[in-house]
Amino acid sequence: MLSIGTDMTAQKKIAAALKESEERYRFLVENAPLSITVVQGDRTRFVNRFGLDASGYTREEILSRPFLDFVHPEDRGLVYANHNRQMKGEKVAGLYSFRALMKSGESRWYDIKSVPVTWNGAPATMNYYIDVSERKSIEDTLHSVNGKLLLLSRITRHDLGNQITALRGFIDLSRAHTGDPGRLAGYLERMESIAGTLSEQLQFTRDYGELDLMSPQWLNLGEVFEKVAAQLPLDEVSLSLPEKNPDIYVDPLFSKVCYNLIEDSLRYGGEQLTEISVAAETRRSRAHRHVRDNGIGVPDSDKERIFDMGFGKKYRVWPLFVSGESSP
């Protein structure tokens, strides 16, 4: 009898070691403190436990649907393009951000890092996700704060420039009428009023630097207009307010908008200007606030562009850009 045998001990050891290594790797991936998926074609082939807990979906829900179903519609083009390029072996950004859709309906920002892998013998990508929603929220807040401070700087330069121009005008008039005590008294009164307006504007600028004041506040519409009107020379021009002045939840810069609107009416309304009116109404569950005057107005052909930065210089009504930027 002839017996031939093969010693399989070495192969068995290699197979056992490979299986143990795979189990360790799967354990690490499954229990990693970040979301991990494997995407192949248009489907997710694997998602770890952290990813399930973060998204709120079951494993079956994620594996049975196209992976783009879980991406915000506005970001699907970006995610699909990067996945496609990586599947073709092309180089993509090492890290990029997108919004993922949670089962709760919430969207959250994630940074994603993808690497090419082979999954069940076919090309795929392994994707690592880090939730950066809080960071994005802070970035958005900083962007908003910086934008408001820049806008306030522009408004302040414009308003102070107007007041200083007026002040110089009254100084020149005072010099020309030194022998007329009656006129001098009137000019001094106007200059004192301008000084008070300058002081209030500087105080507002200083206070607005406090973060608490940058947040929206409840303001009474009538009180806002009455306060800003007191800083401007209405003289014979009447200001009419709604019988019922509502409280509105707005950025404090809204008061600057009101100031600019009244100032522009006075400056460019012409001799026929006699009335500025403020109205408040509700249409289709939306609140509307209107400021009108009976001055010469702006041609219909220019009304759509009057809020564009720079275009308003044609009428010297640059503050309308500010109104468009800061209106609630």
Side-chain angles (χ1 to χ4, degrees):
M1 175 182 288
L2 180 62
S3 176
I4 299 176
T6 301
D7 188 352
M8 302 293 292
T9 303
Q11 288 89 335
K12 287 181 178 180
K13 287 183 178 179
I14 292 173
L18 182 60
K19 182 179 180 182
E20 183 180 353
S21 176
E22 290 176 347
E23 288 177 349
R24 279 203 302 267
Y25 183 75
R26 179 175 287 274
F27 177 82
L28 290 173
V29 171
E30 186 66 40
N31 294 280
L34 74 163
S35 300
I36 300 175
T37 66
V38 173
V39 175
Q40 193 173 60
D42 68 342
R43 301 282 171 161
T44 302
R45 303 302 181 189
F46 169 82
V47 55
N48 70 342
R49 186 175 301 139
F50 193 95
L52 295 175
D53 292 340
S55 68
Y57 293 101
T58 65
R59 194 179 302 274
E60 291 71 24
E61 286 174 319
I62 291 180
L63 300 185
S64 65
R65 293 165 57 184
F67 74 92
L68 287 178
D69 282 3
F70 307 99
V71 177
H72 192 284
E74 294 180 5
D75 298 333
R76 286 172 185 170
L78 170 68
V79 174
Y80 178 77
N82 282 337
H83 175 69
N84 241 16
R85 289 172 57 194
Q86 197 149 43
M87 293 294 287
K88 294 176 182 177
E90 299 177 10
K91 188 176 181 180
V92 300
L95 193 71
Y96 67 94
S97 302
F98 77 102
R99 285 163 291 181
L101 301 176
M102 308 292 104
K103 189 170 184 178
S104 65
E106 175 190 16
S107 62
R108 297 191 65 81
W109 280 99
Y110 281 87
D111 277 352
I112 176 174
K113 168 72 175 177
S114 299
V115 294
V117 297
T118 299
W119 188 267
N120 292 333
T125 59
M126 180 168 282
N127 311 286
Y128 304 89
Y129 309 85
I130 300 176
D131 191 328
V132 294
S133 299
E134 290 187 9
R135 188 195 76 196
K136 282 286 186 179
S137 178
I138 293 172
E139 290 174 355
D140 290 345
T141 299
L142 288 175
H143 179 75
S144 175
V145 168
N146 287 335
K148 289 181 178 182
L149 289 175
L150 177 60
L151 185 60
L152 179 62
S153 174
R154 291 172 175 172
I155 296 172
T156 302
R157 289 199 305 269
H158 172 271
D159 290 350
L160 294 183
N162 282 348
Q163 295 299 323
I164 289 171
T165 298
L167 184 61
R168 285 174 174 167
F170 285 116
I171 291 173
D172 289 340
L173 288 171
S174 298
R175 287 172 178 163
H177 297 88
T178 54
D180 189 336
R183 285 193 177 187
L184 282 177
Y187 296 151
L188 287 172
E189 185 177 340
R190 284 294 184 88
M191 286 188 279
E192 185 177 8
S193 174
I194 291 172
T197 299
L198 288 170
S199 178
E200 289 191 17
Q201 290 174 344
L202 290 173
Q203 182 66 44
F204 180 89
T205 303
R206 182 164 53 249
D207 291 344
Y208 196 79
E210 302 294 330
L211 287 178
D212 287 345
L213 190 54
M214 287 187 182
S215 303
Q217 299 176 354
W218 284 102
L219 300 175
N220 183 269
L221 183 66
E223 291 178 359
V224 170
F225 273 96
E226 287 175 350
K227 183 175 181 179
V228 298
Q231 302 174 30
L232 293 163
L234 269 66
D235 296 331
E236 303 301 321
V237 178
S238 64
L239 175 66
S240 61
L241 299 173
E243 291 184 7
K244 294 183 178 180
N245 287 307
D247 290 333
I248 51 178
Y249 191 62
V250 292
D251 188 292
L253 275 177
F254 179 72
S255 63
K256 284 289 187 181
V257 173
C258 300
Y259 181 96
N260 287 329
L261 291 174
I262 296 180
E263 182 188 42
D264 285 339
S265 291
L266 296 173
R267 187 179 293 270
Y268 309 109
E271 294 182 0
Q272 69 187 62
L273 176 68
T274 59
E275 180 183 8
I276 301 172
S277 63
V278 181
E281 61 179 345
T282 301
R283 295 198 308 263
R284 296 180 181 179
S285 301
R286 298 192 64 179
H288 296 263
R289 310 290 178 252
H290 305 279
V291 180
R292 300 183 175 92
D293 65 58
N294 61 351
I296 59 177
V298 176
D300 291 340
S301 59
D302 289 342
K303 285 183 178 178
E304 290 299 319
R305 299 185 59 196
I306 199 67
F307 287 93
D308 295 344
M309 188 175 187
F311 183 80
K313 292 178 181 177
K314 176 178 179 181
Y315 301 98
R316 296 185 63 204
V317 286
W318 183 88
L320 286 178
F321 163 74
V322 172
S323 303
E325 288 290 293
S326 57
S327 296

